[in-house]
Amino acid sequence: MPAIKTIRSRTVALPATNVDTDQIIPARFLTSTSKSGFGKHLFADWRYDAAGNPKPDFVLNRPEAKGAAILVAGRNIGCGSSREHAPWALQDFGFQAVISTEFADIFRTNCLKNGLLPVVVDDQTHAWLLANPGVELDIDVESTALTLPDGTQVTFPLEGFARYCLLNGVDELGFLVSQNAAISAYEQSHR
Amino acid sequence: MSTLPKTMFEKVWENHVVVPETADTPAVLFIDLHLTHEVTTPQAYTELRARGLKLRRPDLTLATMDHSTPTRTEQVFGGVPIAVDSAAKQVQQLEINAREFGVELFNLQDSRRGIVHIIGPELGITQPGKTIVCGDSHTSTHGAFGALAFGIGTTEVGHVLATQCLLQRRPKTFAINVLNQLPKGVTAKDLILAIIGRIGVSGGTGYVLEYRGAAIEKMSMDERMTICNMSIEAGARAGMIAPDATTFEYLAQTPRAPKGEAWDAAVERWSKLPSDAGATFDRSIDIDASALVPMVTYGTHPGMVAPITGSVPAQGDALFEKALKYMGLKAGEPIVNVPVNNVFIGSCTNGRLSDLRNAARVLRGHKLAAGVKMLVVPGSQAVKRAAEAEGLHTVFLDAGAEWRESGCSMCLGMNGDLVPAGHYSISTSNRNFEGRQGQGARTLLASPETAAASAIRGRVTDPREFAN
């Protein structure tokens, strides 16, 4: 996993609450056996019409969405299915961070495992970000703070180990493998 | 030595800590059972190969095929190829991975195959006190046995394959106290839908739920599994129910539960798992089961649920309106006025033998209403055989329904079983998200009884009208 220290980008706002992972990536695209290529199917049923043409009014199809790496999503983003294809699709599309007031548990874990930064903000900041899409934000992983265009800093919670892994590009599987002696000892004592 | 009273979750958690959590690092948690399937594992095996890692505990790992597999008999057993090319490849890939890494696999034609959350309990490998994971959010089902069971993503599937462990922060605990008994004609499915309606689709986020109380204690294992299955629909990764005599009776009949002296020792161990008197939960609510009626969803998440005797509520915000527009429903419309074009009986929520019996009891001697299509999909091949042995399949076939091979089927649109756009589907599954059963499909979640009654009338129907 590549290290992430800072993210500087415009935002795209998708204010719907309870956006489930079936919307982020519909099940019919999950028959792939690879991690790549899901970006074109991101929000497929909201993004394309029945004939497969992009819907011009959907936020990700608008010109201002191009190149934006921060998604501001409604409360409880990523509920439902545990499919990791959801963060894979968001990253493949170009997102590096998702901001919301609340993340579904499994989705949040899956984001962190892939270096897609989940940023939990307070209601007031969230409302402002939703009302002002397209603003340029700075997100700093080291200080766990995002900076609004007027210079206001808003800190966000990020568990220490997750922060360490993101900052150093440390991969958790490597860490777990390094615990082999403890795991073997547990196995011995729990036969 | 005095010890503080503990919740069941705390006991199971503490018994699986390999390395305790600190301020800087999460706990290393040992996993007793890893259930796997074709959709969420291929990328994990790719990762293991890339790093030259082996499967650490083949003895604690089981693979089945369920999500992308067809349910038509000719495709499962008749040599007719799987229609979707990528699905066929995914199924093949699981066979390759299982062989290479040494995983026990129930392949497409295996008589033990079924939905991953149906076969774990059926085999008796789902047991009280175990930690159980699977790359599937409905892993919460196994909590019905007093296991700590939760869904994980594919990266974590790789972690468990390679190390049999996960890095975890300890979740909080939430007691759902279900007081009194469910009235006649009101089911476990209605109860869990009512609970989700009450706490909301993110009410359980960050928590492990424990369902307690008189109504839960009286339930069969099948009913308890329906309850725990939908914990994730309230945002909770896991839901648990204390093991008791009902649990032990169920497991005693299963092929892979401990036998003889090992069984006696296991029961003794399992009997100590229920939460101690005086154990404290981070949050709790009380639900009066006796006040409930059958429940049906009307919107696009499981929290948008109403009593069948009620109406589509008027709430008014833009998202609510968007959901009603998708569903083609209006505020104030009686739930029983909603038309039904399609009926699905099955899934890890309601695809067990008792679910099929309950649907058949309502449907017996009736025909599907004109224009209604109905699919009955057993949760496993074992459920299918048991249902056929008691003639349930003839009840469904005589009514005009289709009787299929086991799988996730129409719960999620990735195996060819789809609800057409705009059609209303009353479904015993777990998610009514937009497009879940097919692009544009309008899903109404309900119990098998309500689904069967609705099939007869061609509109949402209170199953208590068919009470017998």
Side-chain angles (χ1 to χ4, degrees), chain B residues 13-56:
Chain B
W13 173 272
E14 286 170 7
N15 196 27
H16 290 85
V17 172
V18 174
V19 181
E21 64 183 325
T22 67
D24 293 332
T25 50
V28 177
L29 195 72
F30 192 80
I31 302 303
D32 293 321
L33 176 62
H34 189 192
L35 299 167
T36 65
H37 62 85
E38 76 280 15
V39 178
T40 58
T41 55
Q43 298 87 350
Y45 284 113
T46 302
E47 194 67 34
L48 259 62
R49 263 188 211 104
R51 294 169 185 246
L53 292 169
K54 291 195 172 74
L55 173 65
R56 186 179 181 97

Short mmCIF file of all heavy atoms in Angstrom, two decimals, chain B residues 13-56:
data_model
loop_
_atom_site.label_atom_id
_atom_site.label_comp_id
_atom_site.label_asym_id
_atom_site.label_seq_id
_atom_site.Cartn_x
_atom_site.Cartn_y
_atom_site.Cartn_z
N TRP B 13 -14.76 -12.73 23.05
CA TRP B 13 -13.65 -11.85 22.63
C TRP B 13 -12.37 -12.19 23.41
O TRP B 13 -11.32 -12.45 22.83
CB TRP B 13 -14.06 -10.40 22.85
CG TRP B 13 -12.96 -9.40 22.62
CD1 TRP B 13 -12.06 -8.96 23.54
CD2 TRP B 13 -12.63 -8.73 21.39
NE1 TRP B 13 -11.20 -8.05 22.97
CE2 TRP B 13 -11.52 -7.89 21.66
CE3 TRP B 13 -13.17 -8.76 20.10
CZ2 TRP B 13 -10.94 -7.08 20.68
CZ3 TRP B 13 -12.59 -7.94 19.13
CH2 TRP B 13 -11.50 -7.12 19.41
N GLU B 14 -12.49 -12.19 24.73
CA GLU B 14 -11.30 -12.37 25.57
C GLU B 14 -10.64 -13.72 25.34
O GLU B 14 -9.42 -13.85 25.43
CB GLU B 14 -11.67 -12.20 27.06
CG GLU B 14 -11.92 -10.73 27.39
CD GLU B 14 -12.52 -10.51 28.77
OE1 GLU B 14 -12.63 -11.49 29.54
OE2 GLU B 14 -12.90 -9.36 29.05
N ASN B 15 -11.46 -14.71 25.01
CA ASN B 15 -10.93 -16.05 24.78
C ASN B 15 -10.18 -16.17 23.45
O ASN B 15 -9.58 -17.21 23.17
CB ASN B 15 -12.08 -17.07 24.84
CG ASN B 15 -11.57 -18.48 25.01
OD1 ASN B 15 -10.50 -18.71 25.57
ND2 ASN B 15 -12.34 -19.44 24.50
N HIS B 16 -10.26 -15.12 22.62
CA HIS B 16 -9.62 -15.20 21.30
C HIS B 16 -8.53 -14.17 21.09
O HIS B 16 -8.03 -14.02 19.98
CB HIS B 16 -10.69 -15.10 20.21
CG HIS B 16 -11.55 -16.31 20.15
ND1 HIS B 16 -12.65 -16.48 20.94
CD2 HIS B 16 -11.43 -17.45 19.42
CE1 HIS B 16 -13.19 -17.66 20.72
NE2 HIS B 16 -12.47 -18.27 19.81
N VAL B 17 -8.19 -13.46 22.16
CA VAL B 17 -7.15 -12.44 22.03
C VAL B 17 -5.77 -13.11 22.02
O VAL B 17 -5.38 -13.75 22.99
CB VAL B 17 -7.24 -11.41 23.18
CG1 VAL B 17 -6.03 -10.47 23.15
CG2 VAL B 17 -8.53 -10.61 23.06
N VAL B 18 -5.08 -12.97 20.90
CA VAL B 18 -3.72 -13.49 20.75
C VAL B 18 -2.73 -12.47 21.29
O VAL B 18 -1.80 -12.81 22.01
CB VAL B 18 -3.43 -13.81 19.27
CG1 VAL B 18 -1.97 -14.22 19.07
CG2 VAL B 18 -4.38 -14.88 18.75
N VAL B 19 -2.95 -11.22 20.92
CA VAL B 19 -2.15 -10.11 21.43
C VAL B 19 -3.15 -9.01 21.83
O VAL B 19 -3.96 -8.61 21.00
CB VAL B 19 -1.17 -9.56 20.36
CG1 VAL B 19 -0.34 -8.42 20.93
CG2 VAL B 19 -0.28 -10.67 19.81
N PRO B 20 -3.13 -8.57 23.09
CA PRO B 20 -4.12 -7.58 23.52
C PRO B 20 -3.95 -6.24 22.80
O PRO B 20 -2.85 -5.91 22.36
CB PRO B 20 -3.83 -7.40 25.01
CG PRO B 20 -2.89 -8.49 25.40
CD PRO B 20 -2.20 -8.95 24.17
N GLU B 21 -5.04 -5.51 22.70
CA GLU B 21 -4.94 -4.19 22.06
C GLU B 21 -4.28 -3.21 23.02
O GLU B 21 -4.32 -3.37 24.24
CB GLU B 21 -6.31 -3.69 21.59
CG GLU B 21 -7.35 -3.42 22.65
CD GLU B 21 -8.69 -2.99 22.04
OE1 GLU B 21 -8.72 -2.29 21.02
OE2 GLU B 21 -9.73 -3.36 22.63
N THR B 22 -3.64 -2.22 22.43
CA THR B 22 -3.03 -1.13 23.20
C THR B 22 -3.53 0.17 22.59
O THR B 22 -4.28 0.15 21.62
CB THR B 22 -1.49 -1.16 23.07
OG1 THR B 22 -1.15 -0.85 21.71
CG2 THR B 22 -0.91 -2.51 23.46
N ALA B 23 -3.10 1.28 23.15
CA ALA B 23 -3.49 2.57 22.58
C ALA B 23 -3.02 2.68 21.13
O ALA B 23 -3.67 3.30 20.29
CB ALA B 23 -2.92 3.70 23.41
N ASP B 24 -1.89 2.05 20.83
CA ASP B 24 -1.31 2.18 19.49
C ASP B 24 -1.70 1.09 18.51
O ASP B 24 -1.67 1.31 17.31
CB ASP B 24 0.23 2.17 19.60
CG ASP B 24 0.75 3.41 20.31
OD1 ASP B 24 0.08 4.44 20.23
OD2 ASP B 24 1.82 3.31 20.94
N THR B 25 -2.04 -0.07 19.02
CA THR B 25 -2.31 -1.19 18.11
C THR B 25 -3.60 -1.91 18.47
O THR B 25 -3.92 -2.08 19.66
CB THR B 25 -1.16 -2.24 18.14
OG1 THR B 25 -0.91 -2.56 19.51
CG2 THR B 25 0.09 -1.72 17.48
N PRO B 26 -4.32 -2.36 17.44
CA PRO B 26 -5.52 -3.16 17.71
C PRO B 26 -5.14 -4.55 18.21
O PRO B 26 -3.97 -4.94 18.14
CB PRO B 26 -6.20 -3.24 16.34
CG PRO B 26 -5.24 -2.75 15.33
CD PRO B 26 -4.06 -2.15 16.02
N ALA B 27 -6.11 -5.26 18.74
CA ALA B 27 -5.88 -6.63 19.19
C ALA B 27 -5.63 -7.53 17.99
O ALA B 27 -6.17 -7.30 16.91
CB ALA B 27 -7.09 -7.13 19.97
N VAL B 28 -4.83 -8.57 18.20
CA VAL B 28 -4.75 -9.67 17.24
C VAL B 28 -5.75 -10.70 17.73
O VAL B 28 -5.62 -11.21 18.86
CB VAL B 28 -3.33 -10.26 17.16
CG1 VAL B 28 -3.29 -11.45 16.22
CG2 VAL B 28 -2.32 -9.19 16.73
N LEU B 29 -6.75 -10.97 16.92
CA LEU B 29 -7.86 -11.84 17.34
C LEU B 29 -7.81 -13.13 16.54
O LEU B 29 -7.75 -13.10 15.31
CB LEU B 29 -9.18 -11.11 17.09
CG LEU B 29 -10.42 -11.69 17.77
CD1 LEU B 29 -10.38 -11.42 19.28
CD2 LEU B 29 -11.69 -11.08 17.17
N PHE B 30 -7.86 -14.26 17.23
CA PHE B 30 -7.82 -15.56 16.54
C PHE B 30 -9.21 -15.92 16.01
O PHE B 30 -10.21 -15.69 16.68
CB PHE B 30 -7.33 -16.66 17.48
CG PHE B 30 -6.99 -17.94 16.76
CD1 PHE B 30 -5.78 -18.07 16.10
CD2 PHE B 30 -7.90 -18.99 16.71
CE1 PHE B 30 -5.46 -19.25 15.41
CE2 PHE B 30 -7.59 -20.17 16.02
CZ PHE B 30 -6.36 -20.29 15.38
N ILE B 31 -9.22 -16.49 14.81
CA ILE B 31 -10.49 -16.85 14.16
C ILE B 31 -10.61 -18.38 14.12
O ILE B 31 -9.73 -19.07 13.59
CB ILE B 31 -10.54 -16.26 12.73
CG1 ILE B 31 -10.40 -14.73 12.77
CG2 ILE B 31 -11.83 -16.69 12.01
CD1 ILE B 31 -11.42 -14.00 13.62
N ASP B 32 -11.71 -18.89 14.65
CA ASP B 32 -11.90 -20.35 14.74
C ASP B 32 -12.45 -20.98 13.46
O ASP B 32 -12.29 -22.18 13.25
CB ASP B 32 -12.89 -20.68 15.86
CG ASP B 32 -12.35 -20.34 17.23
OD1 ASP B 32 -11.15 -20.56 17.45
OD2 ASP B 32 -13.13 -19.84 18.06
N LEU B 33 -13.16 -20.18 12.69
CA LEU B 33 -13.78 -20.74 11.48
C LEU B 33 -13.84 -19.66 10.40
O LEU B 33 -14.36 -18.57 10.63
CB LEU B 33 -15.21 -21.23 11.79
CG LEU B 33 -16.02 -21.75 10.60
CD1 LEU B 33 -15.36 -22.95 9.94
CD2 LEU B 33 -17.46 -22.10 11.02
N HIS B 34 -13.27 -19.98 9.25
CA HIS B 34 -13.28 -19.07 8.11
C HIS B 34 -14.10 -19.70 6.99
O HIS B 34 -13.69 -20.69 6.39
CB HIS B 34 -11.84 -18.81 7.65
CG HIS B 34 -11.73 -17.73 6.62
ND1 HIS B 34 -10.57 -17.51 5.92
CD2 HIS B 34 -12.61 -16.79 6.20
CE1 HIS B 34 -10.75 -16.47 5.09
NE2 HIS B 34 -11.99 -16.04 5.24
N LEU B 35 -15.26 -19.13 6.75
CA LEU B 35 -16.13 -19.59 5.67
C LEU B 35 -15.84 -18.73 4.44
O LEU B 35 -15.68 -17.51 4.56
CB LEU B 35 -17.60 -19.46 6.08
CG LEU B 35 -17.98 -20.28 7.31
CD1 LEU B 35 -19.35 -19.86 7.85
CD2 LEU B 35 -17.99 -21.77 6.97
N THR B 36 -15.75 -19.37 3.29
CA THR B 36 -15.37 -18.61 2.09
C THR B 36 -16.27 -18.98 0.92
O THR B 36 -16.88 -20.05 0.89
CB THR B 36 -13.90 -18.89 1.71
OG1 THR B 36 -13.78 -20.27 1.34
CG2 THR B 36 -12.94 -18.60 2.87
N HIS B 37 -16.36 -18.06 -0.04
CA HIS B 37 -17.12 -18.34 -1.26
C HIS B 37 -16.43 -17.69 -2.45
O HIS B 37 -15.41 -17.01 -2.29
CB HIS B 37 -18.59 -17.89 -1.11
CG HIS B 37 -18.75 -16.43 -0.88
ND1 HIS B 37 -18.79 -15.53 -1.91
CD2 HIS B 37 -18.86 -15.71 0.26
CE1 HIS B 37 -18.92 -14.31 -1.41
NE2 HIS B 37 -18.97 -14.39 -0.10
N GLU B 38 -17.02 -17.85 -3.63
CA GLU B 38 -16.32 -17.51 -4.87
C GLU B 38 -16.15 -16.01 -5.11
O GLU B 38 -15.23 -15.61 -5.83
CB GLU B 38 -17.04 -18.17 -6.06
CG GLU B 38 -18.36 -17.52 -6.53
CD GLU B 38 -19.58 -17.87 -5.67
OE1 GLU B 38 -19.39 -18.39 -4.55
OE2 GLU B 38 -20.70 -17.60 -6.12
N VAL B 39 -17.01 -15.17 -4.54
CA VAL B 39 -17.03 -13.76 -4.95
C VAL B 39 -15.98 -12.90 -4.24
O VAL B 39 -15.38 -12.03 -4.85
CB VAL B 39 -18.44 -13.15 -4.77
CG1 VAL B 39 -18.44 -11.67 -5.14
CG2 VAL B 39 -19.44 -13.89 -5.63
N THR B 40 -15.76 -13.14 -2.96
CA THR B 40 -14.91 -12.23 -2.19
C THR B 40 -13.55 -12.83 -1.83
O THR B 40 -12.85 -12.32 -0.97
CB THR B 40 -15.62 -11.79 -0.90
OG1 THR B 40 -15.95 -12.94 -0.14
CG2 THR B 40 -16.88 -11.00 -1.20
N THR B 41 -13.17 -13.93 -2.49
CA THR B 41 -11.87 -14.54 -2.20
C THR B 41 -10.82 -14.46 -3.31
O THR B 41 -9.63 -14.55 -2.99
CB THR B 41 -12.02 -16.03 -1.82
OG1 THR B 41 -12.73 -16.70 -2.88
CG2 THR B 41 -12.78 -16.19 -0.53
N PRO B 42 -11.19 -14.35 -4.60
CA PRO B 42 -10.13 -14.51 -5.62
C PRO B 42 -8.97 -13.54 -5.44
O PRO B 42 -7.81 -13.94 -5.56
CB PRO B 42 -10.86 -14.28 -6.95
CG PRO B 42 -12.26 -13.91 -6.64
CD PRO B 42 -12.51 -14.18 -5.20
N GLN B 43 -9.27 -12.27 -5.13
CA GLN B 43 -8.20 -11.28 -5.00
C GLN B 43 -7.33 -11.56 -3.77
O GLN B 43 -6.15 -11.20 -3.74
CB GLN B 43 -8.80 -9.87 -4.91
CG GLN B 43 -9.59 -9.43 -6.16
CD GLN B 43 -11.06 -9.85 -6.13
OE1 GLN B 43 -11.49 -10.63 -5.28
NE2 GLN B 43 -11.83 -9.34 -7.08
N ALA B 44 -7.91 -12.21 -2.75
CA ALA B 44 -7.14 -12.56 -1.56
C ALA B 44 -6.13 -13.66 -1.89
O ALA B 44 -4.98 -13.61 -1.45
CB ALA B 44 -8.07 -13.01 -0.44
N TYR B 45 -6.54 -14.65 -2.66
CA TYR B 45 -5.60 -15.71 -3.06
C TYR B 45 -4.50 -15.14 -3.96
O TYR B 45 -3.34 -15.57 -3.87
CB TYR B 45 -6.35 -16.85 -3.77
CG TYR B 45 -7.12 -17.74 -2.83
CD1 TYR B 45 -8.51 -17.77 -2.83
CD2 TYR B 45 -6.45 -18.55 -1.92
CE1 TYR B 45 -9.21 -18.58 -1.96
CE2 TYR B 45 -7.14 -19.37 -1.04
CZ TYR B 45 -8.53 -19.38 -1.06
OH TYR B 45 -9.21 -20.19 -0.20
N THR B 46 -4.87 -14.19 -4.81
CA THR B 46 -3.86 -13.54 -5.66
C THR B 46 -2.78 -12.90 -4.79
O THR B 46 -1.59 -13.00 -5.07
CB THR B 46 -4.54 -12.47 -6.55
OG1 THR B 46 -5.55 -13.11 -7.33
CG2 THR B 46 -3.54 -11.80 -7.47
N GLU B 47 -3.22 -12.25 -3.70
CA GLU B 47 -2.30 -11.59 -2.77
C GLU B 47 -1.39 -12.62 -2.09
O GLU B 47 -0.18 -12.40 -1.96
CB GLU B 47 -3.14 -10.84 -1.72
CG GLU B 47 -2.38 -9.84 -0.89
CD GLU B 47 -1.87 -8.65 -1.69
OE1 GLU B 47 -2.56 -8.23 -2.64
OE2 GLU B 47 -0.78 -8.16 -1.36
N LEU B 48 -1.97 -13.73 -1.65
CA LEU B 48 -1.16 -14.77 -1.01
C LEU B 48 -0.09 -15.30 -1.96
O LEU B 48 1.07 -15.46 -1.58
CB LEU B 48 -2.05 -15.93 -0.53
CG LEU B 48 -2.38 -15.93 0.98
CD1 LEU B 48 -3.17 -14.70 1.37
CD2 LEU B 48 -3.12 -17.20 1.38
N ARG B 49 -0.51 -15.53 -3.20
CA ARG B 49 0.43 -16.03 -4.22
C ARG B 49 1.57 -15.03 -4.42
O ARG B 49 2.74 -15.41 -4.45
CB ARG B 49 -0.30 -16.20 -5.55
CG ARG B 49 -0.74 -17.61 -5.80
CD ARG B 49 -1.29 -17.77 -7.21
NE ARG B 49 -2.31 -18.80 -7.15
CZ ARG B 49 -3.60 -18.56 -7.17
NH1 ARG B 49 -4.08 -17.34 -7.29
NH2 ARG B 49 -4.45 -19.57 -7.07
N ALA B 50 1.19 -13.75 -4.53
CA ALA B 50 2.19 -12.71 -4.80
C ALA B 50 3.24 -12.65 -3.68
O ALA B 50 4.39 -12.30 -3.91
CB ALA B 50 1.51 -11.36 -4.96
N ARG B 51 2.82 -12.99 -2.46
CA ARG B 51 3.74 -12.90 -1.32
C ARG B 51 4.33 -14.26 -0.93
O ARG B 51 5.04 -14.36 0.08
CB ARG B 51 2.98 -12.36 -0.10
CG ARG B 51 2.52 -10.93 -0.26
CD ARG B 51 1.57 -10.60 0.86
NE ARG B 51 0.99 -9.28 0.69
CZ ARG B 51 1.23 -8.25 1.50
NH1 ARG B 51 2.02 -8.37 2.52
NH2 ARG B 51 0.64 -7.09 1.29
N GLY B 52 3.95 -15.27 -1.66
CA GLY B 52 4.46 -16.60 -1.35
C GLY B 52 3.96 -17.13 -0.01
O GLY B 52 4.67 -17.86 0.68
N LEU B 53 2.75 -16.75 0.37
CA LEU B 53 2.20 -17.20 1.65
C LEU B 53 1.31 -18.41 1.45
O LEU B 53 0.68 -18.59 0.41
CB LEU B 53 1.39 -16.07 2.30
CG LEU B 53 2.20 -14.86 2.78
CD1 LEU B 53 1.27 -13.70 3.14
CD2 LEU B 53 3.07 -15.25 3.97
N LYS B 54 1.23 -19.23 2.50
CA LYS B 54 0.38 -20.43 2.47
C LYS B 54 -0.90 -20.18 3.26
O LYS B 54 -0.98 -19.24 4.05
CB LYS B 54 1.12 -21.60 3.13
CG LYS B 54 2.30 -22.12 2.35
CD LYS B 54 2.69 -23.50 2.93
CE LYS B 54 3.73 -24.20 2.09
NZ LYS B 54 5.08 -23.63 2.24
N LEU B 55 -1.86 -21.07 3.09
CA LEU B 55 -3.04 -21.08 3.94
C LEU B 55 -2.62 -21.64 5.30
O LEU B 55 -2.13 -22.77 5.38
CB LEU B 55 -4.12 -21.96 3.31
CG LEU B 55 -5.37 -22.23 4.13
CD1 LEU B 55 -6.16 -20.94 4.37
CD2 LEU B 55 -6.25 -23.27 3.44
N ARG B 56 -2.79 -20.87 6.37
CA ARG B 56 -2.28 -21.30 7.68
C ARG B 56 -3.07 -22.49 8.24
O ARG B 56 -2.49 -23.44 8.73
CB ARG B 56 -2.34 -20.15 8.68
CG ARG B 56 -1.68 -20.52 10.02
CD ARG B 56 -1.71 -19.38 11.02
NE ARG B 56 -1.05 -19.78 12.25
CZ ARG B 56 0.22 -19.51 12.55
NH1 ARG B 56 0.96 -18.81 11.72
NH2 ARG B 56 0.74 -19.92 13.69
#
